[in-house]
């Protein structure tokens, strides 16, 4: 959560229970943003994992080729 929103949240909290709905909405919005970030990270991780598997396979093939020529 950006600092400006944290400051706003703290100010709302200081005002007491009457601002609970506004604070809840802030937290729900923040949670939605975090879920979006989590999804983006999962997609990036899948791409990186795919590249890692590709290069491991490439290296294994290269190493197998060297073993066959010995």
């Amino acid at each position: 959560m950006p600092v400006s929103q944290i400051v706003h949240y703290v100010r709302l909290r200081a005002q007491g229970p009457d601002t609970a709905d506004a604070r809840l909405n802030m937290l729900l919005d923040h949670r939605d943003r975090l879920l979006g970030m989590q999804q983006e990270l999962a997609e990036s991780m899948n791409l990186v994992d795919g590249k890692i598997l590709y290069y491991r396979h490439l290296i294994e093939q290269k190493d197998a080729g060297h073993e066959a020529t010995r």
Side-chain angles (χ1 to χ4, degrees), residues 51-67:
K51 289 177 187 269
I52 288 169
L53 288 174
Y54 169 78
Y55 285 108
R56 283 185 175 160
H57 180 71
L58 194 67
I59 291 167
E60 287 172 4
Q61 286 183 330
K62 181 183 73 166
D63 290 345
H66 287 294
E67 291 294 320

Side-chain angles (χ1 to χ4, degrees), residues 9-26:
Y9 179 88
V10 169
R11 288 181 179 154
L12 288 172
R13 186 171 177 256
Q15 293 174 25
D18 291 341
T19 63
D21 57 337
R23 288 180 277 150
L24 174 61
N25 287 330
M26 288 182 73

